Amino acid sequence: MILPETYLSALLLTILSMLCWGSWANSFKLTGKPERTWRFELFYYDYSVGVLVAAIIAAYTFGSLGSDLSFDDNLLVAAKRNMAYAVAGGMVFNLANMLLVAAISVAGLAVAFPVGIGLALIIGVIWNYFLNPQGNPMLLAAGVTLVMCAIIVDALAYTAHAKPASPEPGRGRSKSSVGRKGIVLSLISGVLMGSFYPLVEISKGGGVDAAGLGPYAVAFLFALGVFFSTFVYNLYFLNLPVQGEPLSMLAYFKGTLGEHALGIIGGIIWCIGAIANFVAASAPNKVQVGPAISYAVGQGATMVSALWGVLVWKEFAGARPNVKLLLTLMFVLFLAGLMLVAIAPLYVASSSVVRLFGSSVRSAGEIINGLGTMLV
């Protein structure tokens, strides 16, 4: 299998992961308004196919080249328990991701990703750090705190935007209810999304030399979990939809070639990002960015996706000045948090760092408290 040989190449892979994870959802947006055309439940069948196809191609190309253990050999020697963890990781991720797509269909990219993936980043970084502690804990803690502040600010911005300046009788409550549903779906997705990556890390065991899984084998088994669990989860989503009327599975066959193609492309793009992330986290120790940092930088996809939502899909078109200010603050806090997490491996904890970032976190909290009054 092919693995990165320098820290720079490992970091570039995490950046590729970030771009892919932040852009794949555009394929769903391109299918049109889900309540009128192609529902996310139907889109997701094709998405899961794309994930599996990309994982298989990577396994028999990059995963079978180079001097390290090949993909096929890795599956032969890996422990069944490790394989089970990889499949479980795919199943947990898939439920989280289906809820995320549901949130996108209700509230849009600029809300679902910052809230859902932001919460996932917090949970994932903490869990991954305890599994494999790499990086300055003070910088990681400060970064996670800033991301948490960004999530709160984004939720405030969406709540303020969903609340009309002059509500019409009988209409404001309905829009507000939809807004709350989008945020709740995003939060539930975030809790689950933050739990899948540690399962991936556990599936690696002690490495391929200790009956563990390499990144390409992890990606393949993970994709199997995504593919097969889609048919199970969709039994619920089709019959008890988060939006619209119940659907029959046969509605899938009424889709156009373009709608099916967009789902497959979305799955391929996401899986390329996942493989890049898994490979970066599995690099040799001397050049490894570490699972906590690899996961966190990959979750910079949140900002990429939010930018797509704000700049391209105009999800906050016509926003009032207070909403625009909150959105700007959300971007600043999220980027600052990601930067702290990304540089955490490069610095040793010191009292000056603790004092510096401790005061920054307190200041961010004071700013948020002050902004709360702007929503009235």
Side-chain angles (χ1 to χ4, degrees):
M1 70 185 77
I2 296 178
L3 298 174
E5 298 180 354
T6 64
Y7 180 84
L8 178 60
S9 60
L11 186 60
L12 288 175
L13 282 173
T14 64
I15 293 173
L16 172 62
S17 172
M18 176 183 69
L19 295 175
C20 290
W21 281 355
S23 301
W24 72 266
N26 287 302
S27 62
F28 174 58
K29 295 286 286 188
L30 285 169
T31 62
K33 291 185 179 299
E35 68 270 20
R36 288 197 290 117
T37 54
W38 200 233
R39 293 260 291 268
F40 87 88
E41 300 94 332
L42 305 176
F43 166 89
Y44 214 89
Y45 286 120
D46 294 311
Y47 171 86
S48 66
V49 171
V51 171
L52 184 58
V53 167
I56 292 173
I57 292 174
Y60 286 103
T61 53
F62 298 107
S64 300
L65 300 174
S67 57
D68 290 303
L69 196 66
S70 70
F71 164 73
D72 283 333
D73 292 336
N74 189 189
L75 288 183
L76 288 174
V77 301
K80 298 297 186 292
R81 181 179 180 182
N82 291 347
M83 293 183 179
Y85 275 120
V87 174
M91 295 175 68
V92 171
F93 159 80
N94 203 35
L95 180 56
N97 205 48
M98 292 185 80
L99 289 168
L100 181 68
V101 180
I104 292 171
S105 71
V106 172
L109 288 170
V111 174
F113 266 78
V115 175
I117 306 302
L119 180 58
L121 186 152
I122 294 170
I123 296 172
V125 167
I126 294 172
W127 194 350
N128 278 301
Y129 183 82
F130 281 107
L131 287 174
N132 190 353
Q134 290 180 313
N136 184 297
M138 292 297 104
L139 291 179
L140 286 174
V144 164
T145 302
L146 289 177
V147 170
M148 186 180 299
C149 293
I151 294 172
I152 297 172
V153 170
D154 189 58
L156 293 174
Y158 183 67
T159 302
H161 185 59
K163 180 181 179 182
S166 300
E168 299 178 19
R171 296 187 62 181
R173 180 176 299 179
S174 176
K175 188 172 183 181
S176 177
S177 176
V178 171
R180 286 195 296 270
K181 180 188 289 186
I183 293 174
V184 170
L185 287 170
S186 300
L187 289 172
I188 298 172
S189 169
V191 172
L192 291 170
M193 193 73 76
S195 304
F196 89 84
Y197 205 91
L199 293 173
V200 169
E201 184 64 18
I202 294 171
S203 73
K204 297 176 185 177
V208 294
D209 295 329
L213 292 172
Y216 299 98
V218 170
F220 171 71
L221 294 168
F222 186 95
L224 285 179
V226 169
F227 179 77
F228 288 110
S229 65
T230 294
F231 295 88
V232 177
Y233 298 149
N234 247 350
L235 291 175
Y236 172 85
F237 287 110
L238 288 172
N239 289 285
L240 296 171
V242 298
Q243 189 177 43
E245 298 297 322
L247 280 177
S248 167
M249 185 177 177
L250 295 177
Y252 170 82
F253 299 102
K254 297 179 181 179
T256 66
L257 182 62
E259 287 169 336
H260 291 306
L262 284 170
I264 293 172
I265 291 171
I268 290 173
I269 293 172
W270 184 89
C271 194
I272 290 173
I275 293 168
N277 197 280
F278 295 169
V279 171
S282 300
N285 289 333
K286 62 181 180 180
V287 301
Q288 190 182 88
V289 296
I293 287 80
S294 177
Y295 178 77
V297 175
Q299 297 309 307
T302 303
M303 291 296 93
V304 176
S305 183
L307 286 171
W308 279 110
V310 172
L311 301 179
V312 177
W313 298 107
K314 308 298 182 183
E315 293 172 350
F316 280 83
R320 298 188 296 278
N322 63 323
V323 175
K324 293 179 179 179
L325 178 61
L326 288 171
L327 284 175
T328 301
L329 180 59
M330 181 270 291
F331 279 112
V332 171
L333 289 171
F334 219 117
L335 287 173
L338 287 175
M339 288 177 61
L340 291 180
V341 172
I343 66 174
L346 306 179
Y347 294 93
V348 177
S350 67
S351 58
S352 60
V353 170
V354 175
R355 288 195 299 271
L356 172 62
F357 290 102
S359 61
S360 298
V361 170
R362 286 194 299 273
S363 298
E366 292 168 0
I367 293 173
I368 291 172
N369 289 332
L371 287 168
T373 59
M374 299 176 63
L375 302 180
V376 181

